[in-house]
Each structure stands twice: as structure tokens, then as C-alpha cells.
Amino acid sequence: MKPEEQYSRQTVSETAEEYFLRGVYYYDKGLDAKDANEDGAAAFFTEAFECFLKAADMGNLHAQNQVGICYEFGLGVKQDCEKAIEWYTKAAEKGCARAQNNLGCCFSSGDGVEQDMHEAFEWCRKAAKQGNAKAQYNLGVCYEEGIGIEKDADQAVFWFKKSAEQGFVRPRKQSGFYFELGCCVQKDPHQAFEWFRKSAEQGNAHAQKNLGDCYRKGLGAEQNYRKAFQWYSKAASQGHVEAQVELGDRFFYGQGVMQDHDQAFFWYKKAAEKGDMHAENRVAYCYKHGYGVEQDEDAAMKLYLKAAKKGDEDSLLAVELQCQLQRKRSL
């Protein structure tokens, strides 16, 4: 599914979207290396920052937000909160919900800008109205605690519910804003594990999926693939798309359960039918190699293309490799 070799695609002229996708690839590799305490994380983040910056200069709003994140947290570049504000503002003023939420967080904390609770409220409100789950949670915090607006318990409940409907769980005993980082950086994995466990036991699908992640990665608890499989199963059965993909992976690799490619394909397909690009990539892989389904390279390529258009870098690479193969055959 995910090639281990370094992503080294080179073209004569790349678009902003292509630079952004390459940046996402390196950014994810950096996060993986950082989480595993492996060497190379800094190099991956540097590559990611350079790609994001190129895309940002070409006007890509998501890349502008990511440049802000890199500056805010010193990922691939020297930490500079004021520059982070500049990039968040560029993207936020053009309507990027993630950047609007991040800008609201900065005004709330006073990082890189003079603290202004009213501005924090306004930027989170703009992002929340666009459907950003973390901003909806943050707006709930504003109404609950009277940040930049008068306290309003009804509005707080309304926005917390909106956020929860998208799968964002409000952690217990947790106050303050949530940054839209595109990753979860948990300073206290043991406490996070307990939050997820309590919510998961109450039937919250998102918490069940997160609890599965904790057991799979050994975060806040001893690594246990069988328990990871069990919690992914609970969340997947409730229709949680990411959990369905994870459950498919457990069946595909035989991790925590007996290997079963038919079951893997079944769960990948369920998630793909809901439009998840990672699931589409996996269904394509199954079609290409005949795992759990009759081999069909045409169906595989259609799904790779579909997922690539949504930004799945693995599918994009698969399409490019196929194009290179066809060009070699035509010589």
C-alpha cells in the first residue's frame, strides 16, 4: 500500500497542488519518524516545509496554512510565531477554515500576536460555520467560558454537539482550544488513553477508533493488537470510516486476527463507498493484485485515479508508476 522508498518524483513543471501533495507526503513521514523516535524526522520536515512554501507562494490555501503550522511549531524551519500568524492570516482571509481556526487559537493564547479574545472568537466562529469540527468545539468553549462573547450554555451545547456529530470527542477534564494540526500530538498519552477508554465504553465510535489506535501503537497502554482489533471492530460496526479502513488493515495483515483478505476487501469497500480516499487506494490495491476479489487492473486504475484526484499520495504515485510503465512499453 505505502511504498517505503523515498518519494522522489520529478517533473519539469509542478503545480501548486502537486507541491502541496509532496509536502504532505514528507510531513507524514516526518511525523511517523518523530513518533517512532527514529532519525530523519528533521530532514523530512525540512523537505515538507520547502514543498509547502512553494505551493503557498503559488496561492494554495492549504499549503499556506501548513507553512503557518511549520513556523508555529518549528517543523522544518526555525520557529517563528509572527511568521506563522502572517501565513495563517493569508489563508484565513481567503476562507481556509483550518487557518481560521489556527488563527483563532493564536489570538486566544497570544502566540505571535497580541492576545485578543474577541478576535479569537470571531475567527473560530468563521471556521465553525464552514463545518470545521475543531473550530466548532472551540466555539463551544468560547460560549461555555465566555471567551470573546457572553456565556451562553445553549450555544455551547449546540456547538459541542455539532463537533461531536463529526466524530470530534470533547476530552474529559480538558479546557482550552484545539489546533488544526492534521495530526494528534498528545503530551500525556496515559491521560488521553483514559479519556478515550471512558468515552469508548459509553459507545462513542470516534473514541473507540482512537482507543484502537492507542492499543495498536502502544500509546498510554501496552501494545495489544487483539484489543486494537476489537475496538476498531466496534467503531467500524457503527459506520466510522477510518475505523473501517483500520479494520480492513488488521484483516489484510493478520494483525490481532487471523489473516482474511476477503474480510479486508469487504471493509475497505465499505469505507470506499463513503468516499474515503485511503480506502479507495486499498480497494484499488486489492483489485490490482487479486486480494479478496477477482483481479481487475482496469478497476484498480479507476480507483487509483479517483483517490489521486482527492490527494492520496500513494494513489498518485501508483498512477505515475503505471504511466511510466506504459511509456517504456511504447518505446
Side-chain angles (χ1 to χ4, degrees):
M1 308 271 189
K2 285 191 174 183
E4 294 300 322
E5 65 270 19
Q6 184 171 335
Y7 186 50
S8 58
R9 181 172 60 87
Q10 299 293 327
T11 61
V12 175
S13 179
E14 292 183 283
T15 66
E17 183 178 3
E18 288 171 330
Y19 276 123
F20 175 68
L21 290 177
R22 187 186 290 188
V24 169
Y25 175 83
Y26 284 124
Y27 187 79
D28 286 346
K29 296 290 272 186
L31 291 175
D32 289 342
K34 184 178 179 181
D35 289 343
N37 292 318
E38 296 176 351
D39 294 333
F44 282 127
F45 284 133
T46 298
E47 289 284 352
F49 175 76
E50 291 176 357
C51 292
F52 287 144
L53 188 60
K54 289 178 181 177
D57 286 336
M58 296 169 75
N60 186 290
L61 300 186
H62 298 299
Q64 290 173 352
N65 176 60
Q66 286 296 138
V67 170
I69 289 171
C70 289
Y71 273 121
E72 177 74 7
F73 297 97
L75 300 174
V77 67
K78 185 178 179 181
Q79 189 174 31
D80 190 328
C81 291
E82 291 184 2
K83 285 189 177 180
I85 292 296
E86 290 178 14
W87 283 103
Y88 287 149
T89 303
K90 280 178 183 285
E93 289 180 343
K94 293 176 183 176
C96 177
R98 291 185 173 185
Q100 289 170 344
N101 181 55
N102 285 348
L103 192 56
C105 291
C106 289
F107 274 112
S108 174
S109 63
D111 290 332
V113 67
E114 185 177 350
Q115 190 176 50
D116 188 327
M117 294 307 186
H118 179 69
E119 282 291 303
F121 169 80
E122 286 299 326
W123 282 112
C124 287
R125 183 177 63 82
K126 289 180 181 181
K129 286 189 172 182
Q130 289 198 66
N132 183 281
K134 291 181 177 65
Q136 290 171 342
Y137 168 82
N138 289 341
L139 193 59
V141 172
C142 288
Y143 279 113
E144 184 180 54
E145 300 182 8
I147 298 174
I149 190 73
E150 289 186 10
K151 290 185 179 182
D152 188 327
D154 291 338
Q155 280 292 307
V157 170
F158 173 82
W159 287 107
F160 284 143
K161 184 178 179 181
K162 279 275 192 184
S163 176
E165 286 171 352
Q166 295 196 64
F168 187 82
V169 181
R170 184 186 182 196
R172 295 164 180 265
K173 300 179 182 178
Q174 178 73 17
S175 61
F177 280 14
Y178 262 79
F179 247 83
E180 179 64 65
L181 285 172
C183 62
C184 179
V185 182
Q186 181 52 251
K187 294 182 179 179
D188 189 344
H190 296 287
Q191 188 177 39
F193 175 83
E194 286 303 314
W195 288 335
F196 293 145
R197 183 182 61 79
K198 290 175 183 178
S199 294
E201 289 174 351
Q202 293 175 11
N204 185 289
H206 190 69
Q208 290 170 345
K209 189 269 178 183
N210 285 342
L211 193 59
D213 289 342
C214 288
Y215 276 120
R216 178 170 62 86
K217 299 177 181 179
L219 297 174
E222 186 176 349
Q223 191 174 54
N224 189 316
Y225 292 136
R226 181 60 183 172
K227 287 186 177 180
F229 167 79
Q230 291 170 343
W231 284 109
Y232 285 143
S233 296
K234 290 178 184 292
S237 297
Q238 292 196 64
H240 194 288
V241 176
E242 292 179 10
Q244 290 173 341
V245 176
E246 288 292 347
L247 187 58
D249 283 349
R250 297 321 111 213
F251 277 116
F252 190 91
Y253 295 109
Q255 195 176 67
V257 66
M258 187 174 293
Q259 189 175 53
D260 188 332
H261 289 151
D262 291 339
Q263 279 289 321
F265 180 78
F266 171 81
W267 286 106
Y268 289 153
K269 192 168 184 290
K270 282 186 78 72
E273 288 171 350
K274 296 177 183 176
D276 184 88
M277 64 181 181
H278 303 299
E280 289 168 349
N281 168 267
R282 285 160 169 77
V283 172
Y285 187 86
C286 288
Y287 271 122
K288 183 175 177 61
H289 298 282
Y291 288 120
V293 67
E294 186 176 348
Q295 192 171 23
D296 187 335
E297 293 201 4
D298 289 337
M301 187 50 58
K302 287 178 182 178
L303 281 163
Y304 275 138
L305 285 167
K306 188 176 181 180
K309 288 178 181 178
K310 294 177 181 178
D312 183 76
E313 64 268 19
D314 296 325
S315 296
L316 182 62
L317 183 58
V319 171
E320 290 182 344
L321 290 173
Q322 183 63 28
C323 289
Q324 291 175 10
L325 182 61
Q326 289 177 350
R327 283 197 295 269
K328 287 181 179 179
R329 288 174 178 173
S330 64
L331 293 177

